[in-house]
Amino acid sequence: MIPDERLELIFACCHPALAADAQVALTLSLVGGLTTPEIARAFIVPEATLAQRLVRAKRKIRDAGIPLRVPPEHLLPERLRTVLAAIYLVFNAGYGPPVRQELCAEAIRLALLLATLMPDEAEVHGLHALVLLQDARRDARVSPDGRLVLLDDQDRGLWDAAEIAQGRAALDRALARRLPGPYQLQAAIAALHGEPETDWREIALLYGRLLELTPSPVIELNRAVAVAMARGEAEGLALVDAIEGLDDYYLLHAARADLLRRIGRGTEAATAYERALALAPSDVERGFLRARLLEGADGDT
């Protein structure tokens, strides 16, 4: 038995008869309490598209008589990948900005519970490590007056040292199983960002490996930024410009704007900042981009 009603419901929602994205969307709606616009942002799709996915998933459950119940214990591993994705997206919805601490705390609680329930699963420990290492920086990411603070400018005294230690211990437990996976790689990247000197070459290599395991334009973007930091803005910009499928993703335009500004193409940078500003989902992010457009700054969050 799974010793938690919410975790039970997540496993129940992740029924293999449904498409994987529908499983996660349904979980975020029924368990995470996220709204359709929030889930759409998590999937980087239009709200109408996401709404249709939810409708189709619920219709299939009804018409096919799919039982939303916890599967037998021996079937839990086959649903694990989708369960991990759902928990991580709940965390991301809370990570913001703006920060919704209750969602972050719930995702961390569920990740710990899952690590206790399935201690031999390396990726479970990888997810637990990732959410802890990211959450440790939460209080430093937004200033008291509501401004977004870049990673290099954050007050490390505000980072939660105990949470970082717990995250590193969870990552060690994951790596000890010698079964590498996407959450472990992301946790390793988060751990490298916490070092006194950021090893961008190593981060670029890890993003390259992550891209091999889980091809995604968002991971391509993260790798491009890491390559820019490791090998120069021009090389990173070429990679950003080759990415397809993220035209409505504000972070692509923000990253492109920053790289253009750094190599002296100010007019193009301003255009890219304006596009990012039009797409940014929160006042905190819009305020940051507006300041960058007017004043200029560089870094990574």
Side-chain angles (χ1 to χ4, degrees):
M1 285 293 293
I2 300 174
D4 184 87
E5 289 183 359
R6 182 159 292 187
L7 191 57
E8 285 181 345
L9 185 54
I10 292 175
F11 271 99
C13 288
C14 294
H15 196 288
L18 301 173
D21 57 356
Q23 294 174 37
V24 176
L26 191 63
T27 301
L28 294 178
S29 175
L30 297 181
V31 182
L34 273 63
T35 64
T36 298
E38 288 172 329
I39 301 172
R41 285 198 295 271
F43 281 92
I44 318 176
V45 298
E47 289 181 31
T49 301
L50 193 282
Q52 289 173 356
R53 288 181 187 176
L54 287 171
V55 168
R56 284 196 298 267
K58 293 175 182 177
R59 183 184 299 128
K60 185 169 185 178
I61 290 169
R62 183 196 64 209
D63 295 346
I66 296 172
L68 281 183
R69 62 170 178 254
V70 182
E73 188 171 341
H74 70 280
L75 294 179
L76 294 181
E78 73 177 17
R79 302 192 184 190
L80 182 59
R81 180 177 179 181
T82 312
V83 169
L84 294 176
I87 292 174
Y88 188 45
L89 286 176
V90 169
F91 177 83
N92 278 341
Y95 197 54
V99 172
R100 295 166 64 182
Q101 188 170 352
E102 73 284 359
L103 289 179
C104 291
E106 178 64 3
I108 291 169
R109 185 188 73 82
L110 290 169
L112 173 59
L113 184 59
L114 202 55
T116 305
L117 178 70
M118 308 178 80
D120 295 328
E121 295 285 349
E123 278 290 81
V124 170
H125 295 291
L127 174 66
H128 188 214
L130 176 59
V131 294
L132 285 169
L133 290 167
Q134 290 186 333
D135 191 65
R137 294 196 288 111
R138 185 186 63 227
D139 291 342
R141 293 179 68 238
V142 179
S143 68
D145 60 354
R147 291 181 295 106
L148 188 66
V149 181
L150 298 176
L151 179 59
D152 288 345
D153 299 326
Q154 288 173 11
D155 178 359
R156 294 194 173 206
L158 296 176
W159 290 7
D160 189 324
E163 208 166 23
I164 290 172
Q166 292 167 14
R168 290 182 181 277
L171 180 57
D172 288 342
R173 287 192 291 273
L175 297 178
R177 282 152 180 81
R178 299 185 180 278
L179 294 169
Y183 292 106
Q184 295 168 71
L185 287 168
Q186 291 177 81
I189 291 168
L192 284 171
H193 277 305
E195 295 294 332
E197 295 290 332
T198 304
D199 188 341
W200 285 107
R201 289 185 180 275
E202 181 65 20
I203 289 174
L205 288 172
L206 288 174
Y207 272 125
R209 177 61 178 142
L210 183 60
L211 195 57
E212 293 173 2
L213 292 179
T214 55
S216 157
V218 173
I219 296 173
E220 287 184 61
L221 176 60
N222 288 330
R223 177 177 175 270
V225 171
V227 167
M229 298 298 291
R231 302 204 292 263
E233 290 86 355
E235 188 170 344
L237 180 61
L239 292 173
V240 170
D241 284 342
I243 296 171
E244 298 180 354
L246 290 183
D247 190 55
D248 291 332
Y249 188 50
Y250 91 95
L251 287 174
L252 179 137
H253 299 284
R256 187 170 183 274
D258 185 58
L259 295 175
L260 287 166
R261 182 193 55 78
R262 291 190 190 197
I263 61 178
R265 291 161 61 179
T267 302
E268 292 173 84
T271 300
Y273 273 128
E274 288 169 354
R275 175 66 172 154
L277 185 58
L279 294 168
S282 77
D283 289 340
V284 173
E285 288 152 318
R286 284 189 289 272
F288 168 78
L289 290 166
R290 196 171 290 112
R292 296 278 284 191
L293 179 61
L294 295 174
E295 303 167 12
D298 60 2
D300 186 54
T301 60

